Amino acid sequence: MNIEYLYYFYKVAITGSISKVAQSAHISQSALSQQISKLEEILGCKLLERSNKGVELTDKGLIVLKYVDNIIRTYEAMLQHIKSADENERNIKIEACWSIATYSLPCVMYEIKKKFANYNFELNPNESDEIEQNVMNNICDIGVIYNRPKSSNLSYYKIGTDKIVLVSSQDYKIDDKIDFMELINHPFILLNDKVHVIDAIKNKLSSIGLKIEDLKVLYNSDSAESVKSSVLNGFGIGFLPYISIKKELYNKQLKQIDIIDYSIEYDMYLIYDKNIQDETLYNFVEYFKRTAKKNLC
């Protein structure tokens, strides 16, 4: 199968327009339509419904789109790897949960660059499930996530621990130590960052006969920075990864509120392919393990 068939299908599926893709690719609409038709012929199913308003994915088109994204990125990673081999250099792609990529790994990468000066490194934030898939599909070389990976095809190595802490602004009126039940008395900004913070809170609330709806939630956010900003402005309280607020706690912009008999901690794990065939990557992973243990920010 020609990779261009998949590439053009992906572009059309994302934009919803054959004419726009044809224009940006500098080919005719009829030529682009033929590429899509050939792909449909190869797969034996209709992928797009065409109309005057544009195109829409069929049910099977949605299935194909799910896989095409990974196929294209894997193909591009392969080309980049080939190029690197020709140029006697190496590109290493790393993905990590947002708070880890932003606050924990910069110090690690600084030390690693000293050892691997000729390597090019790319560090991107992502969600745990996506990171696992990308490591298995060779879209990234290694990942760093909270908790152990779900897939048995991945090896893992604990590099550190982070905790989720309750914080408020310094002048917000709340005791430094509270009972969990007191949470329902304060405006709450809820972090929903795929680190299972909400699940941990729900379980604790359930144990004392309450639900998440009993909290005075101002809003939910996927962004730790958004929650931090609201808390700093005195709008309420919120749970945040400790590594994301160390500076604000040290500078006394925020204060940590201890909860009696309650804490949330998560181990951080390096994850990588269980069957690494590349000796260069294997040596890098082994060095990353030792360095990350000692140099998390």
Side-chain angles (χ1 to χ4, degrees):
M1 180 187 297
N2 192 327
I3 192 70
E4 284 191 346
Y5 297 165
L6 298 175
Y7 177 79
Y8 284 131
F9 165 74
Y10 177 79
K11 288 292 186 181
V12 170
I14 295 300
T15 61
S17 170
I18 289 178
S19 60
K20 288 181 180 178
V21 175
Q23 185 176 5
S24 64
H26 305 292
I27 62 174
S28 67
Q29 291 188 42
S30 61
L32 178 54
S33 294
Q34 287 177 19
Q35 299 267 27
I36 302 296
S37 296
K38 287 177 182 177
L39 179 61
E40 291 176 325
E41 183 180 340
I42 291 169
L43 297 177
C45 61
K46 194 170 186 178
L47 302 177
L48 300 172
E49 292 287 357
R50 299 162 177 80
S51 70
N52 293 331
K53 296 180 180 179
V55 295
E56 291 185 2
L57 289 168
T58 63
D59 290 342
K60 290 182 179 178
L62 288 168
I63 294 172
V64 173
L65 178 62
K66 176 183 175 182
Y67 289 94
V68 163
D69 183 30
N70 271 337
I71 292 170
I72 291 173
R73 288 196 289 165
T74 302
Y75 177 76
E76 290 175 346
M78 178 191 71
L79 293 180
Q80 191 173 38
H81 197 165
I82 292 172
K83 181 182 177 184
S84 297
D86 288 339
E87 297 174 354
N88 197 26
E89 64 178 29
R90 185 62 190 266
N91 295 310
I92 300 289
K93 292 187 176 181
I94 304 166
E95 292 190 0
C97 293
W98 183 87
S99 55
I100 298 174
T102 305
Y103 298 105
S104 291
L105 290 186
C107 297
V108 176
M109 299 311 302
Y110 176 76
E111 293 298 323
I112 283 178
K113 186 63 177 178
K114 292 180 184 178
K115 172 72 174 178
F116 299 96
N118 294 327
Y119 284 28
N120 298 315
F121 296 101
E122 184 178 326
L123 173 61
N124 294 312
N126 208 338
E127 297 175 6
S128 292
D129 290 345
E130 290 290 329
I131 294 171
E132 285 194 38
Q133 288 297 317
N134 288 344
V135 172
M136 288 189 292
N137 291 327
N138 297 314
I139 291 170
C140 65
D141 296 290
I142 62 172
V144 184
I145 63 175
Y146 289 109
N147 298 321
R148 294 178 182 180
K150 298 173 183 176
S151 173
S152 59
N153 294 320
L154 294 172
S155 292
Y156 55 87
Y157 180 83
K158 180 181 173 182
I159 62 171
T161 301
D162 190 19
K163 57 184 178 180
I164 308 297
V165 296
L166 182 65
V167 292
S168 72
S169 62
Q170 277 291 339
D171 55 358
Y172 185 85
K173 292 183 179 180
I174 187 171
D175 294 335
D176 293 342
K177 195 168 189 176
I178 65 171
D179 186 271
F180 195 90
M181 182 72 80
E182 293 181 48
L183 289 181
I184 65 175
N185 299 323
H186 298 273
F188 205 91
I189 302 97
L190 195 55
L191 177 64
N192 179 27
D193 66 347
K194 312 299 183 183
V195 186
H196 312 299
V197 173
I198 291 180
D199 290 340
I201 296 171
K202 281 182 178 179
N203 291 338
K204 180 62 177 179
L205 287 170
S206 177
S207 71
I208 57 177
L210 297 174
K211 298 179 180 179
I212 198 80
E213 290 78 15
D214 293 314
L215 295 175
K216 297 178 181 178
V217 178
L218 293 180
Y219 67 89
N220 292 275
S221 176
D222 292 339
S223 166
E225 288 299 312
S226 175
V227 175
K228 185 196 299 187
S229 177
S230 293
V231 172
L232 282 168
N233 280 292
F235 300 154
I237 60 177
F239 282 103
L240 285 165
Y242 177 76
I243 57 174
S244 71
I245 53 170
K246 284 195 298 185
K247 182 176 73 174
E248 286 79 8
L249 290 172
Y250 179 80
N251 292 332
K252 298 189 182 302
Q253 296 171 280
L254 292 174
K255 66 177 179 181
Q256 182 175 334
I257 304 156
D258 294 325
I259 302 176
I260 299 169
D261 298 325
Y262 184 73
S263 63
I264 307 175
E265 290 190 350
Y266 293 107
D267 292 331
M268 292 183 282
Y269 286 93
L270 167 68
I271 62 171
Y272 52 96
D273 194 318
K274 186 172 284 186
N275 301 303
I276 297 179
Q277 303 295 322
D278 185 335
E279 184 178 356
T280 302
L281 180 58
Y282 175 84
N283 292 333
F284 172 79
V285 167
E286 292 303 307
Y287 187 81
F288 189 98
K289 290 178 182 178
R290 300 193 298 273
T291 304
K293 272 271 190 180
K294 298 183 294 184
N295 293 285
L296 290 173
C297 292

